[in-house]
Amino acid sequence: MQPLPAQANKKGLLNGAVVEEACDEKDILEFSRMLHKKYSSRIRKHFPNIAFFEHIKNHLVLRNQGKIFVVRYNDKIIGGSACVYSGDTVYLWFSGGMTKTYLTQYPGVLAVWKALTDAKENGFCHLEFMDIGLPFKRHGYREFVLRFGGKQLSTRRWFRFRWSLVNRILVKIYS
């Protein structure tokens, strides 16, 4: 049985992991490479190149519209998360960690936990996890996210059909 996120957060920190905001290009590059390795095994996941994360750091972070957090263990980045701020909501675009290699540090939990605590400390009302899967299909990441509390809403989900007539009809119905 896996511990609750708060317990895993404490255990990960006690086992030597450190969570901090990414401070330079080297951290962002290492974070991007780590996430790319994690996401590359999942074919349907889109993963942007390093320029995307550099844009977050160079433009959004400087305007207080986003942050990148990294989880370190023995001076190696083993997890992290990328957040974007809009209004009273934080959007968690990407998060992950090397959970199999660094099991006792709980890098995935620490990355999400840091995003949650930072959002609360800065007065945001909501944190939205992006791409947690369809509500009627088994999905490991969704089950992981639901352990943090809250409920799943699929307000930004759409389907595209091959036939343009069907798409136009559905747009009219749901608009």
Side-chain angles (χ1 to χ4, degrees):
M1 183 169 157
Q2 294 181 347
L4 293 171
Q7 295 167 334
N9 180 46
K10 290 177 186 173
K11 287 182 180 181
L13 295 173
L14 287 174
N15 289 333
V18 177
V19 188
E20 60 193 18
E21 192 173 344
C23 56
D24 59 18
E25 301 297 322
K26 182 179 160 270
D27 288 348
I28 294 171
L29 180 62
E30 191 176 344
F31 168 66
S32 175
R33 285 184 182 148
M34 183 277 308
L35 269 185
H36 182 69
K37 286 179 187 174
K38 181 172 177 54
Y39 277 56
S40 66
S41 64
R42 298 179 181 123
I43 296 169
R44 40 173 231 101
K45 291 261 188 187
H46 167 72
F47 191 79
N49 64 16
I50 183 67
F52 174 81
F53 294 101
E54 289 172 346
H55 177 77
I56 290 175
K57 181 69 174 163
N58 295 333
H59 298 285
L60 299 178
V61 171
L62 293 176
R63 296 183 192 135
N64 290 326
Q65 295 175 329
K67 288 186 182 177
I68 297 176
F69 301 106
V70 293
V71 180
R72 290 184 194 279
Y73 180 70
N74 291 339
D75 289 329
K76 180 179 181 176
I77 293 178
I78 61 169
S81 55
C83 303
V84 175
Y85 307 142
S86 177
D88 66 347
T89 304
V90 176
Y91 296 94
L92 185 62
W93 273 355
F94 290 94
S95 71
M98 301 167 69
T99 54
K100 291 185 179 159
T101 309
Y102 297 96
L103 182 65
T104 59
Q105 282 71 37
Y106 299 97
V109 173
L110 287 173
V112 173
W113 195 262
K114 181 62 177 176
L116 279 168
T117 56
D118 183 72
K120 183 178 180 186
E121 289 168 3
N122 290 302
F124 290 97
C125 296
H126 307 282
L127 186 130
E128 290 199 24
F129 295 86
M130 307 306 288
D131 193 23
I132 62 168
L134 296 169
F136 48 83
K137 186 177 177 186
R138 190 179 186 302
H139 195 278
Y141 184 63
R142 180 181 55 249
E143 292 167 13
F144 167 73
V145 165
L146 291 176
R147 288 182 15 214
F148 287 89
K151 61 182 178 178
Q152 181 178 354
L153 301 173
S154 294
T155 58
R156 289 171 182 78
R157 179 165 304 285
W158 67 90
F159 296 95
R160 180 168 161 70
F161 295 94
R162 190 177 347 181
W163 307 283
S164 61
L165 176 63
V166 173
N167 287 322
R168 285 194 303 269
I169 292 170
L170 291 173
V171 165
K172 290 211 184 277
I173 291 171
Y174 292 105
S175 296

